[in-house]
Amino acid sequence: MHPSLLQDAGCPKEIPHNEKLLSLKYESLDYDNSENQLFLEEERRMSFLGFKCLEISRWVICGLIGFLTGLIACCIDIAVENLAGVKYFVVKQNIEKFTEVGGLSISLILWAVLNAAFVMVGAVIVAFFEPGAAGSGIPQIKCYLNGVKIPRVVRLKTLVVKVCGVICSVAGGLAVGKEGPMIHSGAVVAAGVSQGRSTSLKKDFKIFEYFRRDTEKRDFVSAGAAAGVSAAFGAPVGGVLFSLEEGASFWNQMLTWRIFFASMISTFTLNFFLSIYNKKPGDLSSPGLINFGRFESDVSVCGLLGALFNILNYWLTIFRIRYVHQPCLQVMEAMLVAAVTATVSFAMIYFSNDCQPLGPDQSEDYPLQLFCADGEYNSMATAFFNTPERSVRSLFHNPPGSYNPLTLSLFTLTYFFLACWTYGLTVSAGVFIPSLLIGAAWGRLFGILLASITPDGSIWADPGKYALIGAAAQLGGIVRMTLSLTVIMVEATGNVTYGLPIMLVLLTAKIVGDYFVEGLYDIHIKLQSVPFLHLEAPATSHWLTAREVMSAPVTCFNRIEKVGTIVDVLSNTSTNHNGFPVVVPVCGLILRSQLIVLLKHKVFVELARSRLTQRKLQLKDFRDAYPRFPPIQSIHISQDERECMMDLTEFMNPTPYTVPQVYTVQLWPLGEFHERFPSSQATELGRTPVSLKWLGVLMHHPKCN
Amino acid sequence: MHPSLLQDAGCPKEIPHNEKLLSLKYESLDYDNSENQLFLEEERRMSFLGFKCLEISRWVICGLIGFLTGLIACCIDIAVENLAGVKYFVVKQNIEKFTEVGGLSISLILWAVLNAAFVMVGAVIVAFFEPGAAGSGIPQIKCYLNGVKIPRVVRLKTLVVKVCGVICSVAGGLAVGKEGPMIHSGAVVAAGVSQGRSTSLKKDFKIFEYFRRDTEKRDFVSAGAAAGVSAAFGAPVGGVLFSLEEGASFWNQMLTWRIFFASMISTFTLNFFLSIYNKKPGDLSSPGLINFGRFESDVSVCGLLGALFNILNYWLTIFRIRYVHQPCLQVMEAMLVAAVTATVSFAMIYFSNDCQPLGPDQSEDYPLQLFCADGEYNSMATAFFNTPERSVRSLFHNPPGSYNPLTLSLFTLTYFFLACWTYGLTVSAGVFIPSLLIGAAWGRLFGILLASITPDGSIWADPGKYALIGAAAQLGGIVRMTLSLTVIMVEATGNVTYGLPIMLVLLTAKIVGDYFVEGLYDIHIKLQSVPFLHLEAPATSHWLTAREVMSAPVTCFNRIEKVGTIVDVLSNTSTNHNGFPVVVPVCGLILRSQLIVLLKHKVFVELARSRLTQRKLQLKDFRDAYPRFPPIQSIHISQDERECMMDLTEFMNPTPYTVPQVYTVQLWPLGEFHERFPSSQATELGRTPVSLKWLGVLMHHPKCN
C-alpha cells in the first residue's frame, strides 16, 4: 500500500489532479459466496421444494420491481407534464399580454424566476439532504453493477430525493432529461424490495431474508436498472442489454430472464397507467417516458461534438470539485443556470424571425406567436419553449421546412453549452435527452443542407431521419454505450430497419470519441476516484502475473486466532482490507464483516467453554447485520477479552478463489477479478499505464500449500 | 472409468436404452487458453498495433459471416419459392382440369409423386453423403456452443448438403421449416470464414491464423448462429439472445457486440437482396425469411400439446435409432412421409366443404376452387396447399370468418401428427415453422370459440391474435426457449406490446412442458448420447465436492517423460482422456493434441542434442495441425525412440484451472466446468440422478502442492 498513491478522496477539498489517486472510501461487493459451514448446513437442510420457493420469490421480487419502477416513472411523467404545462401556460399568457403593449422584459423575469424557483427546490433537497442523488445516477449504478459499493447509492432517501429532484429540474426548464434518474430509481427500488425491509424506516417484513447478501442484492439491482431503462424508453430488451453492457462482470442465464421479466412488467405498468391517465385505457401507446413515434430508412456521420462535450464537462467538473463544494454555492449555481437558461432561451426566441404557418393539426403544444403574423408561430420557440422531450419529437417529426437553418444552428450552439454547463449541477438530472436534442438539431441541419445541394433529392428529403441519426451519434459520442443504445433507439423508434445505420453511427461515434477522451460516465467515475475496473485488462498488459500485481506480504490470520490480533488488524487504518486469508492449518477466507459480527457476539473459545448455554451463531445473525455493519471502533473489547481466542473454522469460506502466482492477468478479465475477489486485499500497481490500478486477489499463499 | 456405464455409441446398432449411456466419441472444446511459453512469447512480441489489427479482423470476419449468411438465406428463400411455386402451379392446373371431368385421383398421384421426388433428392444427399446434415441442426449447434465438439458439424460439405436438403424438403411439401437449418448454416459459415482456409477444399488463404483454436472458433460460431437466427426471423436482437441463451457458458461483452454486428449485417443483406429480387429496391420490407407482418394487443394459455409432441417424437426417434439406420431405409421413410403428407392433405381438401368468398385483394397465393361455387375458394386448401410460412401468415392475418372451426380442428390434428412424424427424418428440416403452424391453428380455433361464447366481444374479435399467442405457446412447449424466443417473436411481429403476453405464454408453456418431459432439442441431444452439461448443477446436488465427482487416480505425466510412457497412455483406450496434468516438479496441463504434434515432430531430448540444427517448434505448427489432429495410431514410434525423453515444460499450460478437492459443484456452474476443464479427465458419477453424469476437471493434484 502506497499512501502517496492511494488516498481518501472523501475530503472534498482534495481534488484528483492526478489520475493515480484512487479513493479508499469505496468498498467492493462481496460477490463470491461465502461457502462456510453454516451456509453448507443450511443448504443441506433445504429441500427441493425450498429451492423452488426461493426461485419463485426471485420471480415475484422481479415482478414487483418492474411494477414499482413503472409506477414511479408514471408519477414522474405526470408531475412533470402538469408542472411544465402550468409554467408554460402562465409564461405564454404573460408574453401574449406584453407582446402588444411592450414590456417583454417582465415576461423574461417571470420565466427566469419560475425556473429558478423550481430548480432551487430541486437543488436544495439534493445539496442539503442527499448529495448522492445528484446527477443522472448512471455512473454510480454502473459502478455498483461492476462491484464497487458506492455509499448511500441504493437508500430509500436517495430515491425520494431523486424523484422529487428530477421533477423540479425538468419542470424548471434546465437542459436535462428524466431518463437517467429513472434508471437510478429502478435500482433503488430493486435494492429495497429484494431485502424485504427498510433500514431507514426501521421496518423489517421478515421476508426474503435469504437474499440479504451482496450477490443476490446486486442481481436484483441489475434487474431494477433494466426496469428503469425499460420504463424510460419503452425498451425492455434495451433495458436487459443495458444491465448487461454496464454490469457484465457477472452473467447468469436465469438472471437475464428475470431481468427481462422485470423490464416487461415495468414498461407494461407505465403504459397501462399512462393510458388510463390519458383517458384512453387499452390503447397502450406510451410504452416509455419518451416515445419517438414511428419512423418509416438512412446513413450518416459521427461524434466529435460528443468528445468536445465531454472535455468541456470534464474541466467544468474539476472546477466544481475544486471550488463549488458548499451546498449553498451549489444551490446558487443551479439557480443561476436555470435563470440563464430562461434568459438565453428568451433572447433566442425574441431575436428570431423564423415564422412558420400554424398547421391545421396543431402539433405544437405551446405555440408562441410573438411578432409573427396571425396564424403563424415562432419556430425557435418550438425548440426552446417546450420540455426537451417534446422538442426532440418535433425535430424528428415536423415536416420539412418547419425550421430554417439559422434557427437550428443557433439552437444547437446555445443548447450545447447550456447542456454541458448543466450536467454535473447538484440537481438530479439526466444527460440522455439533452444529448438527443443537440444531435437531433444538428442532424436536421445537416439534412437540410444536404437536401439543398441535391436538388432532386427525393429520398434525402426527410430531415427528420437525419435528426434521428444525428441524435444517436451525439448520444453515442457522449455516453459511449453501443449495443444497448442501438437496441434502445431501435425499440424507441419501433423500426428494425434503422438498426444497421444507428449501429454504424454509434460505433463511429464511439471510435472517434474514444480517440480523444473517455465517455462522460467514465469521466465522472474517474473524477470521483472510484476504483473502477474495466472488464478487460489493457491488451499490452496481458502477460502480467498475479505475483506482480499483488500486495505483499499478505495480512492473514490463523485458524484459531487471538482476539487482540484481530482487533488490531481490523483497527489498523493502513491495512483496511476487507477480507483476510486464514492460513494455518487450512486455507480459507474470512471477511471483515464476518469478523465484526463475531466480535460483536463475542464468539470466543474461552467464553464458549464457560457459558455452555451460549446460543450457536446462525447465518441469520449475519443476515440481520447486513448491509450496515458497525465499524470496529464501535465494538468494545476489554483487555481481558483481547487475550481470548477465536475459532474461525466454522465461519471462514474454505473454498475461496485462488490463483497461482504465475497466473497472467489476461486469464482473469479485470471485471471478474473485481467481483470474484472483491473483499480481498487491495494493491497498487505502478507498472501499467491506465486501468490496472487497483486489484484485489487472494493468491496461492505459500502457507496454504 | 466404468466401461459398463460409458460406452461408445459410434456403432449404430447400439441404442441408448439406458440414460446412463454416454458416448465417448464426443470430445469437448479446449476452451481454456493454453498459456504455455510459446504463447506467452508470441504475446510479448506482439505490439499494441498487432492487438488492434486482431480486433479489427474479428470485426471484419463477423461482417463477412453476416453477409454470407444473409446471402445463403436469400438463395434458400428464392429457390424454395420458385420450386414450390412451380409445383403448386402444376398441381393446381391438374386439379382444375380434373375437377369437372372427374378423375382427381390422378391429381393426387401427381402431387404425391412430385413431393416424393423432391424429398428423395433431399434424403439421398443427406443419408448417403452427410448424415450430419439431418434435422434442424439446432441440437448440434447447441452442443457445440456449450463446449461439446460434434464431429463434422461445421464442415463445408455439411453446409452444402444442408442447404440443398432443406430446399428439397420444403419444396417437397413436408411439414418442415427452413429456419432451423439457417441457424446451422450460419454456424458453418462462421467456422469456415474465421479459419481463413478450407480443409475440405485443401485451400489455405494464410489469413486469420491466430484464430485457429477452439476458443476463437467457438466465439465466431456463436456469431454465425446468431446471424442465422437473424436472417431466419429478421430478428437481430433475437439472434444475439439465442446465441446467449443456448451457449451462455461463456460470455464476453465485446463478443456480444460483434455478434450483434454479424446479425445486423445478416438481416440487412437478406433484406437488400430480397428487395432487389422482388423489384422493390430500397423498400427493405423483408428482414427475415418469415415475416409475420405487423400486429396492432392480448392474453392466453399453454403447452401440454408441446409436451405430447415431444413424447411422441421421443418414442419415434428411439424406434428410428433401433430399426431405421440403413441409408436406403431412411430415404424410403422420407419418401413415404412425403407421399402420405400429400395424400392426407389432398383428402382433407377433397372432403372439406368450407368454401369462402374470394376477396378482392387476392391474399391467397394458390386459391383452389374445387367444388366451391365460382368466386369462392376452398378454405382447407389455404392451410394445406401452401408453403408452411404462408399458411402461418394466413392464420395470423386473414379476417375473422376465413376459417370455420371444423376446418381448423381437422387441420390441427392432422398437421400435428404429420409434423411429429416428420421431425427426425433423414432430411434437413426445421421444427419452428410446423410448431408455429400447429399453434396458430389451435390458437385461432380457441379465439373463434371464445368469440362465439362472448357475444359482444369487440376486443376479443380478432382470432389472428389468438393464433399468434397459440403459435408462441406451441413453439415454446416444443423447444422450451424463453428469452430469445420472446424477442424473436416480438421482433418478427414488430410490436413491443405483444412482449408481455408472449413472455407469459412462453413461460407457462415451459413450466407445464418441463413438468412432463424435456424440450425437443434436449431429447435429441440425450438420444445421441452427447455428454451435454447444463449451465447449473441440480439444486439438490450443490454440496457435492470436486473430490466426489472426479475420477481417481489421475493419469498424469512427469515434466520430462519417457516417450514410451506417453505413447502407451495415449494408445490406451480405457484412459482416452484429452488432457493430462504434468506434475513433477511443476504443475501444468498438456493436451492430447499437443502431445500428438510433439510426437509427430519427434521433439525428443536426445534428438535435440544430436541434431543441433533442428528447428524449434512454433505455435504455427500447432495451428497448422488444428483442428484435425491425427490419431495416435497413425504416428510411428520405433522401439528405440520409445526410450527417448520428452521435455513438456515449454508446451504445457503452466496455469490450468484448478480447484481444491473440497470445492462444491455449486461454485462451478456445470456449463462453465465443461468449457473451463474441457480437455481434462472425464469421470462418471453415480450419485446424482440426471445431469451430473459427466464432468472433467483437473483437481489440485496432491503432488502439485
Side-chain angles (χ1 to χ4, degrees):
Chain A
M1 195 73 49
H2 307 259
S4 64
L5 295 172
L6 278 167
Q7 76 169 67
D8 194 340
C11 164
K13 268 156 209 125
E14 291 293 343
I15 59 120
H17 55 278
N18 184 328
E19 289 215 342
K20 281 198 170 173
L21 289 174
L22 287 176
S23 172
L24 282 182
K25 78 172 162 175
Y26 299 105
E27 289 296 343
S28 62
L29 297 175
D30 294 326
Y31 204 86
D32 202 8
N33 230 345
S34 187
E35 277 216 333
N36 55 23
Q37 287 181 21
L38 295 182
F39 180 80
L40 286 179
E41 272 163 28
E42 194 188 85
E43 292 269 303
R44 280 205 187 86
R45 269 199 309 274
M46 205 145 34
S47 64
F48 183 72
L49 211 70
F51 282 109
K52 278 274 166 227
C53 283
L54 273 183
E55 193 57 29
I56 291 166
S57 1
R58 287 200 185 97
W59 283 92
V60 170
I61 293 173
C62 281
L64 268 175
I65 292 170
F67 178 75
L68 291 174
T69 308
L71 216 56
I72 290 175
C74 188
C75 296
I76 293 181
D77 194 48
I78 293 173
V80 166
E81 284 300 314
N82 286 331
L83 286 177
V86 167
K87 189 188 81 175
Y88 286 121
F89 181 76
V90 169
V91 174
K92 190 180 168 213
Q93 296 284 65
N94 195 282
I95 291 178
E96 275 166 3
K97 200 171 88 189
F98 287 104
T99 310
E100 302 299 313
V101 299
L104 274 174
S105 52
I106 295 173
S107 306
L108 166 62
I109 292 169
L110 174 70
W111 190 1
V113 166
L114 276 177
N115 272 6
F118 275 122
V119 170
M120 190 184 72
V121 176
V124 163
I125 55 176
V126 172
F128 289 97
F129 293 101
E130 188 53 72
S136 74
I138 295 182
Q140 287 92 322
I141 295 304
K142 189 173 170 172
C143 291
Y144 190 92
L145 290 183
N146 282 289
V148 184
K149 214 184 273 181
I150 309 281
R152 315 181 58 76
V153 78
V154 290
R155 297 274 176 91
L156 182 65
K157 198 170 149 196
T158 312
L159 175 66
V160 174
V161 170
K162 191 112 213 170
V163 169
C164 300
V166 74
I167 292 172
C168 291
S169 45
V170 178
L174 288 179
V176 299
K178 54 193 186 298
E179 279 67 18
M182 262 323 296
I183 298 167
H184 191 168
S185 304
V188 183
V189 166
V193 170
S194 66
Q195 301 301 297
R197 69 172 169 194
S198 165
T199 325
S200 312
L201 300 180
K202 306 231 177 341
K203 177 93 193 134
D204 191 338
F205 294 97
K206 302 272 179 208
I207 48 170
F208 308 144
E209 293 179 325
Y210 189 85
F211 303 131
R212 294 177 188 173
R213 56 174 191 238
D214 282 351
T215 322
E216 298 279 353
K217 194 167 167 186
R218 193 218 80 118
D219 287 356
F220 287 114
V221 168
S222 64
V229 174
S230 174
F233 301 97
V237 182
V240 175
L241 293 177
F242 173 87
S243 271
L244 211 57
E245 186 166 358
E246 298 298 323
S249 313
F250 189 77
W251 169 258
N252 178 315
Q253 202 179 6
M254 279 314 284
L255 172 66
T256 321
W257 188 221
R258 286 196 302 268
I259 292 179
F260 192 46
F261 182 66
S263 296
M264 276 284 182
I265 296 278
S266 166
T267 184
F268 188 81
T269 308
L270 175 68
N271 207 338
F272 183 75
F273 285 106
L274 276 190
S275 299
I276 290 177
Y277 176 76
N278 295 328
K279 310 224 168 38
K280 285 181 282 184
D283 182 42
L284 300 181
S285 61
S286 356
L289 287 185
I290 175 153
N291 195 332
F292 298 153
R294 282 190 183 272
F295 274 89
E296 295 315 300
S297 205
D298 215 55
V299 197
S300 175
V301 279
C302 69
L304 265 175
L305 269 177
L308 181 65
F309 186 100
N310 291 0
I311 293 171
L312 288 179
N313 193 272
Y314 175 75
W315 290 336
L316 196 64
T317 309
I318 291 205
F319 174 84
R320 282 194 182 123
I321 291 175
R322 203 182 296 247
Y323 300 109
V324 193
H325 44 76
Q326 300 285 337
C328 298
L329 278 177
Q330 292 172 334
V331 171
M332 279 169 64
E333 195 200 0
M335 288 170 68
L336 178 68
V337 175
V340 168
T341 306
T343 312
V344 170
S345 308
F346 192 85
M348 298 294 285
I349 295 172
Y350 187 82
F351 292 112
S352 160
N353 53 2
D354 181 8
C355 292
Q356 302 285 347
L358 210 53
D361 53 346
Q362 253 291 39
S363 64
E364 304 311 315
D365 297 289
Y366 317 104
L368 271 187
Q369 186 180 346
L370 267 177
F371 306 115
C372 292
D374 285 351
E376 294 196 329
Y377 68 94
N378 187 308
S379 174
M380 187 66 99
T382 53
F384 272 122
F385 195 68
N386 226 331
T387 57
E389 280 88 350
R390 285 172 192 262
S391 306
V392 172
R393 222 176 312 157
S394 308
L395 284 167
F396 284 173
H397 290 290
N398 280 4
S402 305
Y403 301 89
N404 75 33
L406 185 68
T407 309
L408 284 176
S409 340
L410 282 172
F411 175 74
T412 309
L413 203 69
T414 46
Y415 206 79
F416 180 85
F417 288 108
L418 283 175
C420 190
W421 191 11
T422 308
Y423 190 76
L425 283 181
T426 317
V427 294
S428 71
V431 75
F432 267 66
I433 296 299
S435 312
L436 284 173
L437 191 47
I438 298 165
W442 73 256
R444 196 169 174 113
L445 183 63
F446 180 81
I448 292 174
L449 296 180
L450 205 71
S452 68
I453 56 167
T454 53
D456 66 327
S458 60
I459 56 164
W460 312 97
D462 183 5
K465 287 171 189 164
Y466 290 94
L468 173 66
I469 299 297
Q474 180 71 28
L475 185 53
I478 292 175
V479 304
R480 308 287 162 77
M481 290 189 286
T482 42
L483 178 58
S484 54
L485 210 51
T486 308
V487 177
I488 289 172
M489 298 287 287
V490 166
E491 284 188 288
T493 56
N495 191 334
V496 79
T497 34
Y498 287 104
L500 191 64
I502 288 178
M503 191 176 69
L504 292 176
V505 156
L506 283 173
L507 207 60
T508 318
K510 183 177 164 65
I511 292 169
V512 173
D514 278 350
Y515 185 79
F516 294 101
V517 67
E518 287 177 277
L520 187 64
Y521 297 143
D522 291 321
I523 288 177
H524 277 259
I525 286 171
K526 199 175 260 179
L527 284 175
Q528 284 175 40
S529 313
V530 177
F532 185 89
L533 288 180
H534 290 275
L535 196 65
E536 300 257 350
T540 44
S541 65
H542 279 175
W543 58 86
L544 278 172
T545 61
R547 193 207 316 260
E548 290 169 297
V549 299
M550 289 303 302
S551 64
V554 177
T555 314
C556 39
F557 293 123
N558 294 318
R559 192 170 62 81
I560 296 180
E561 185 63 88
K562 219 174 79 178
V563 173
T565 318
I566 294 176
V567 172
D568 289 344
V569 168
L570 292 186
S571 313
N572 185 345
T573 47
S574 78
T575 57
N576 56 354
H577 302 311
N578 211 15
F580 303 89
V582 180
V583 290
V584 178
V586 277
C587 188
L589 185 79
I590 191 126
L591 302 181
R592 173 177 287 262
S593 56
Q594 292 172 324
L595 288 173
I596 298 259
V597 172
L598 294 180
L599 287 173
K600 211 174 105 194
H601 287 85
K602 307 213 184 293
V603 187
F604 306 146
V605 178
E606 287 77 5
L607 291 186
R609 280 184 203 135
S610 58
R611 279 189 277 155
L612 281 171
T613 53
Q614 197 190 22
R615 188 174 66 87
K616 195 165 165 289
L617 222 57
Q618 302 286 320
L619 263 193
K620 193 178 172 308
D621 299 299
F622 293 95
R623 283 182 187 145
D624 284 345
Y626 178 82
R628 304 190 194 172
F629 297 102
I632 179 71
Q633 288 76 16
S634 71
I635 293 168
H636 180 72
I637 301 288
S638 70
Q639 206 56 42
D640 287 350
E641 285 171 336
R642 286 181 63 90
E643 296 305 315
C644 291
M645 300 301 277
M646 257 162 79
D647 186 353
L648 307 177
T649 321
E650 212 178 343
F651 310 103
M652 73 178 188
N653 180 3
T655 51
Y657 270 65
T658 57
V659 296
Q661 298 197 354
V662 289
Y663 237 49
T664 62
V665 172
Q666 183 183 18
L667 278 176
W668 290 98
L670 293 189
E672 202 177 329
F673 241 141
H674 211 175
E675 298 224 321
R676 297 286 194 189
F677 309 111
S679 48
S680 310
Q681 307 205 9
T683 185
E684 208 284 329
L685 176 75
R687 280 189 45 182
T688 42
V690 267
S691 83
L692 200 66
K693 280 171 299 198
W694 190 96
L695 205 53
V697 64
L698 171 71
M699 274 202 305
H700 262 196
H701 190 276
K703 285 193 213 158
C704 294
N705 294 324
Chain B
M1 196 73 48
H2 308 260
S4 64
L5 295 172
L6 278 168
Q7 74 170 68
D8 194 340
C11 165
K13 268 157 211 123
E14 293 292 345
I15 60 120
H17 56 278
N18 184 328
E19 288 214 343
K20 282 199 170 173
L21 288 174
L22 286 176
S23 173
L24 281 182
K25 78 173 164 175
Y26 299 105
E27 290 294 343
S28 63
L29 296 176
D30 295 324
Y31 205 86
D32 202 9
N33 231 342
S34 185
E35 275 215 334
N36 54 23
Q37 287 182 20
L38 296 182
F39 180 79
L40 286 178
E41 271 163 29
E42 193 189 86
E43 292 268 303
R44 280 205 186 86
R45 269 201 309 275
M46 204 144 39
S47 63
F48 184 72
L49 211 69
F51 282 107
K52 279 272 166 229
C53 282
L54 273 183
E55 193 58 30
I56 291 167
S57 355
R58 287 199 186 96
W59 283 91
V60 170
I61 293 172
C62 281
L64 268 174
I65 293 169
F67 178 75
L68 291 174
T69 309
L71 216 55
I72 290 174
C74 189
C75 295
I76 294 181
D77 194 49
I78 293 174
V80 166
E81 284 299 314
N82 285 330
L83 287 176
V86 167
K87 187 188 79 174
Y88 286 121
F89 182 77
V90 169
V91 175
K92 192 182 165 210
Q93 296 284 68
N94 196 280
I95 290 178
E96 276 166 3
K97 202 170 86 188
F98 287 104
T99 310
E100 302 300 312
V101 298
L104 273 174
S105 51
I106 296 174
S107 305
L108 166 61
I109 293 170
L110 175 70
W111 189 2
V113 167
L114 277 177
N115 270 7
F118 275 121
V119 170
M120 189 184 73
V121 176
V124 163
I125 55 175
V126 171
F128 290 97
F129 294 101
E130 188 52 75
S136 75
I138 295 181
Q140 288 91 321
I141 295 303
K142 187 173 172 175
C143 292
Y144 190 92
L145 291 182
N146 281 290
V148 184
K149 215 184 272 180
I150 308 281
R152 314 181 59 76
V153 77
V154 289
R155 297 274 176 92
L156 182 63
K157 198 171 149 195
T158 312
L159 175 65
V160 174
V161 170
K162 192 114 214 170
V163 169
C164 299
V166 76
I167 292 173
C168 291
S169 46
V170 177
L174 288 180
V176 300
K178 53 192 187 297
E179 280 67 20
M182 262 323 296
I183 298 167
H184 191 168
S185 304
V188 183
V189 166
V193 169
S194 66
Q195 302 299 298
R197 69 173 167 191
S198 164
T199 326
S200 311
L201 300 180
K202 307 230 176 344
K203 177 97 192 127
D204 191 339
F205 294 98
K206 303 272 177 207
I207 47 171
F208 308 145
E209 293 180 324
Y210 188 85
F211 304 131
R212 292 178 188 173
R213 57 176 192 237
D214 283 352
T215 322
E216 298 278 355
K217 194 169 167 184
R218 192 216 81 118
D219 286 356
F220 287 115
V221 168
S222 64
V229 175
S230 173
F233 301 96
V237 182
V240 175
L241 293 177
F242 173 87
S243 271
L244 212 57
E245 185 165 359
E246 297 298 322
S249 312
F250 188 78
W251 170 259
N252 177 316
Q253 202 179 8
M254 278 313 285
L255 173 66
T256 323
W257 187 221
R258 285 197 301 268
I259 292 178
F260 192 46
F261 181 67
S263 297
M264 276 285 183
I265 295 277
S266 167
T267 184
F268 191 80
T269 307
L270 174 69
N271 207 337
F272 183 74
F273 284 106
L274 277 189
S275 300
I276 289 178
Y277 176 75
N278 294 329
K279 308 224 169 42
K280 286 182 278 182
D283 182 43
L284 301 181
S285 60
S286 354
L289 288 184
I290 176 151
N291 194 331
F292 298 152
R294 282 190 182 274
F295 274 88
E296 296 314 299
S297 169
D298 215 56
V299 197
S300 174
V301 279
C302 70
L304 265 175
L305 268 178
L308 182 64
F309 186 100
N310 291 1
I311 292 170
L312 288 179
N313 194 272
Y314 174 75
W315 290 336
L316 197 64
T317 309
I318 291 204
F319 176 84
R320 280 192 182 124
I321 291 174
R322 203 182 296 248
Y323 300 108
V324 193
H325 44 76
Q326 299 285 337
C328 297
L329 279 177
Q330 292 172 334
V331 171
M332 280 169 63
E333 193 199 2
M335 288 171 67
L336 178 69
V337 174
V340 168
T341 307
T343 311
V344 170
S345 307
F346 192 85
M348 299 295 285
I349 296 173
Y350 187 82
F351 293 111
S352 161
N353 54 1
D354 182 8
C355 291
Q356 301 286 347
L358 209 54
D361 52 348
Q362 251 293 36
S363 63
E364 304 311 313
D365 297 289
Y366 317 105
L368 272 186
Q369 189 181 343
L370 268 176
F371 307 114
C372 292
D374 285 350
E376 293 195 332
Y377 67 96
N378 186 306
S379 175
M380 187 67 99
T382 53
F384 272 121
F385 195 66
N386 227 331
T387 57
E389 281 88 348
R390 286 171 192 264
S391 306
V392 171
R393 221 174 315 155
S394 307
L395 284 168
F396 284 174
H397 290 290
N398 279 4
S402 305
Y403 302 88
N404 75 35
L406 185 69
T407 309
L408 284 175
S409 340
L410 282 172
F411 176 74
T412 309
L413 203 70
T414 47
Y415 207 81
F416 180 85
F417 289 108
L418 282 175
C420 190
W421 190 10
T422 307
Y423 190 77
L425 283 182
T426 318
V427 293
S428 70
V431 76
F432 267 66
I433 295 298
S435 313
L436 285 174
L437 191 47
I438 298 164
W442 72 256
R444 196 171 174 112
L445 183 63
F446 181 81
I448 291 173
L449 297 180
L450 205 71
S452 68
I453 56 168
T454 53
D456 65 327
S458 60
I459 54 163
W460 312 95
D462 183 6
K465 286 170 190 164
Y466 290 94
L468 174 67
I469 298 297
Q474 181 70 27
L475 185 53
I478 292 174
V479 304
R480 308 286 162 78
M481 292 190 284
T482 40
L483 178 58
S484 54
L485 210 51
T486 310
V487 176
I488 289 172
M489 298 288 286
V490 166
E491 284 189 286
T493 55
N495 191 332
V496 79
T497 33
Y498 286 103
L500 193 64
I502 288 179
M503 192 175 68
L504 293 176
V505 156
L506 283 173
L507 208 59
T508 319
K510 184 179 164 64
I511 292 168
V512 173
D514 278 351
Y515 185 78
F516 295 101
V517 66
E518 287 177 277
L520 187 65
Y521 297 143
D522 291 322
I523 288 177
H524 278 259
I525 287 172
K526 201 176 260 179
L527 284 175
Q528 284 175 39
S529 312
V530 177
F532 185 89
L533 289 180
H534 289 275
L535 196 66
E536 301 255 351
T540 43
S541 65
H542 278 176
W543 58 86
L544 278 173
T545 62
R547 195 208 316 260
E548 291 168 297
V549 298
M550 288 303 303
S551 65
V554 177
T555 313
C556 38
F557 293 124
N558 294 317
R559 193 170 62 80
I560 297 182
E561 185 63 87
K562 219 174 78 178
V563 173
T565 318
I566 293 176
V567 172
D568 288 343
V569 168
L570 291 187
S571 313
N572 187 345
T573 48
S574 78
T575 57
N576 57 354
H577 302 311
N578 211 15
F580 303 90
V582 180
V583 288
V584 178
V586 276
C587 189
L589 186 79
I590 190 125
L591 302 182
R592 173 177 286 262
S593 56
Q594 292 173 324
L595 289 173
I596 298 258
V597 172
L598 295 179
L599 287 173
K600 211 173 104 194
H601 287 85
K602 306 210 183 297
V603 188
F604 306 147
V605 178
E606 289 76 6
L607 291 185
R609 281 182 204 137
S610 58
R611 279 188 280 155
L612 282 171
T613 52
Q614 198 191 24
R615 189 173 65 86
K616 194 164 165 288
L617 223 57
Q618 301 286 321
L619 262 194
K620 193 178 173 308
D621 298 299
F622 293 94
R623 282 180 188 148
D624 284 345
Y626 178 83
R628 304 189 195 173
F629 298 101
I632 178 72
Q633 288 77 17
S634 71
I635 293 168
H636 181 72
I637 301 287
S638 71
Q639 205 56 42
D640 287 351
E641 283 171 340
R642 285 182 63 90
E643 296 306 312
C644 292
M645 301 300 280
M646 257 163 78
D647 186 352
L648 307 176
T649 320
E650 210 177 344
F651 310 104
M652 73 181 190
N653 180 2
T655 52
Y657 270 64
T658 57
V659 297
Q661 298 197 354
V662 288
Y663 238 49
T664 61
V665 173
Q666 183 182 20
L667 277 175
W668 291 99
L670 293 190
E672 202 177 328
F673 241 142
H674 211 176
E675 299 225 321
R676 297 286 194 189
F677 311 110
S679 48
S680 309
Q681 307 205 9
T683 187
E684 207 287 328
L685 176 76
R687 280 189 44 182
T688 43
V690 267
S691 84
L692 200 67
K693 280 171 299 198
W694 190 97
L695 206 53
V697 63
L698 171 72
M699 273 202 305
H700 262 196
H701 189 275
K703 288 195 211 158
C704 293
N705 294 325

